[in-house]
Amino acid sequence: MRESMGTLIDALATASAMNLLSHMTRLRGMLAPTAGWLLSSEIRLSAGFVSSRRLLLYGLYQSLQNRRRAAFMVTTAAEAMEQLSLTRPGLLILTPKLEQGDGLVLAQQARAVVPDIRTIVLCDQDEDDLLEANRADVDAVVTEQECFDVDQQLRNMLISLSLGRRYRSRAMQRYLLEEEQGWRDPPPELTPREHQLMDLWVQGLGDRDVADRLGVSYGTVRSHGRTLRKKLGASTRAEVVLKALSLGLSRVTGF
């Protein structure tokens, strides 16, 4: 199943409502791992959209099933700053180019108005824009193609944001600067058991649940976990998940 960014945000925002009972069947299949991470975070899933490209804004608006989740859609930095103070969304989705102002500067200024806002930059395939966006102090960068033609990518992004970390999509990796260590080094080789453990961690399972799922002892899972963290240069389970998502190591599908 393929979903646009708007549809995914809308579904997850609905799922984070006070009474989750009516959404549990849906979450169990399509969105369970993603929603599990998001429901334990503080992200507010309403979004402001800013771009000079009105057709892009129209496409994002059409992708929202519940359009009340769109806090605003504007084309200039000044309009965005005014709307941020009025609506205080949890997400700011923008492009580097605006009709007036600079999108990457706006992403930084937005935090002065809404300190906990998460900023997502949508880039076209211009290499200079991609590299500049990667250097900017923004939470996530994805290409416009991924925004409208996605499967696991946006869910990986939302899990990373829920953990308070940056996200750069796989399509951007070839544009990243050489000194970006996390993408320059080749991914480590993992054993089949380590892959199983990592994938179950990505799905949000704790070590005791992993042990039950794999039919091994809790101590065995802990031992594999220590080895996995060492291979990935991580100190916690959350860091393993982030590394797995950023390097494309996770084999989890059907989020």
Side-chain angles (χ1 to χ4, degrees):
M1 171 182 262
R2 290 182 176 270
E3 301 168 89
S4 69
M5 177 178 285
T7 301
L8 180 60
I9 288 173
D10 179 68
L12 289 168
T14 302
S16 62
M18 182 66 69
N19 186 348
L20 300 177
L21 290 177
S22 62
H23 304 290
M24 283 302 172
T25 301
R26 215 162 137 226
L27 290 174
R28 186 176 181 180
M30 182 177 70
L31 296 169
T34 313
W37 288 105
L38 285 167
L39 291 173
S40 64
S41 75
E42 300 299 324
I43 297 178
R44 289 171 286 105
L45 287 167
S46 59
F49 300 84
V50 195
S51 177
S52 62
R53 300 179 57 188
R54 295 169 185 257
L55 185 60
L56 174 64
L57 292 176
Y58 177 77
L60 290 167
Y61 181 74
Q62 290 298 315
S63 73
L64 288 168
Q65 293 179 357
N66 181 350
R67 289 163 185 171
R68 289 177 297 178
R69 298 297 175 187
F72 60 84
M73 289 190 163
V74 298
T75 60
T76 70
E79 292 171 323
M81 290 297 288
E82 180 180 359
Q83 289 298 319
L84 283 166
S85 64
L86 292 173
T87 62
R88 303 185 66 81
L91 296 167
L92 181 64
I93 301 170
L94 71 165
T95 57
K97 294 181 176 65
L98 309 178
E99 286 187 352
Q100 294 179 18
D102 183 290
L104 300 180
V105 173
L106 170 63
Q108 298 179 50
Q109 294 173 336
R111 293 197 184 99
V113 181
V114 187
D116 63 345
I117 199 166
R118 309 298 170 89
T119 51
I120 302 169
V121 176
L122 305 182
C123 285
D124 58 24
Q125 296 296 329
D126 182 88
E127 184 172 350
D128 289 339
D129 282 351
L130 287 167
L131 292 176
E132 188 176 356
N134 180 62
R135 296 188 192 106
D137 184 18
V138 297
D139 295 302
V141 183
V142 297
T143 64
E144 292 178 15
Q145 172 67 23
E146 290 168 310
C147 176
F148 290 102
D149 184 22
V150 299
D151 40 35
Q152 192 172 332
Q153 279 286 311
L154 295 182
R155 296 175 181 128
N156 289 351
M157 179 190 73
L158 289 170
I159 290 174
S160 295
L161 294 183
S162 74
L163 291 168
R165 304 298 178 87
R166 296 194 322 163
Y167 180 82
R168 302 297 187 262
S169 69
R170 287 196 299 270
M172 285 200 60
Q173 293 175 19
R174 58 194 172 96
Y175 296 108
L176 295 175
L177 298 176
E178 186 180 38
E179 63 264 26
E180 287 285 344
Q181 184 71 29
W183 288 271
R184 186 184 63 199
D185 292 341
E189 293 187 7
L190 304 180
T191 67
R193 182 65 83 189
E194 288 165 352
H195 267 296
Q196 288 179 313
L197 172 58
M198 180 182 62
D199 290 343
L200 292 172
W201 277 357
V202 169
Q203 294 180 60
L205 274 66
D207 286 347
R208 294 192 183 279
D209 292 328
V210 170
D212 291 340
R213 180 74 65 89
L214 298 180
V216 299
S217 70
Y218 175 69
T220 297
V221 171
R222 298 281 289 175
S223 177
H224 283 305
R226 286 192 294 270
T227 303
L228 183 58
R229 286 193 293 272
K230 183 177 181 179
K231 284 187 176 182
L232 294 177
S235 58
T236 66
R237 181 170 68 98
E239 289 181 6
V240 169
V241 169
L242 288 167
K243 195 83 169 184
L245 297 179
S246 67
L247 295 177
L249 293 174
S250 175
R251 302 172 301 182
V252 176
T253 58
F255 267 79

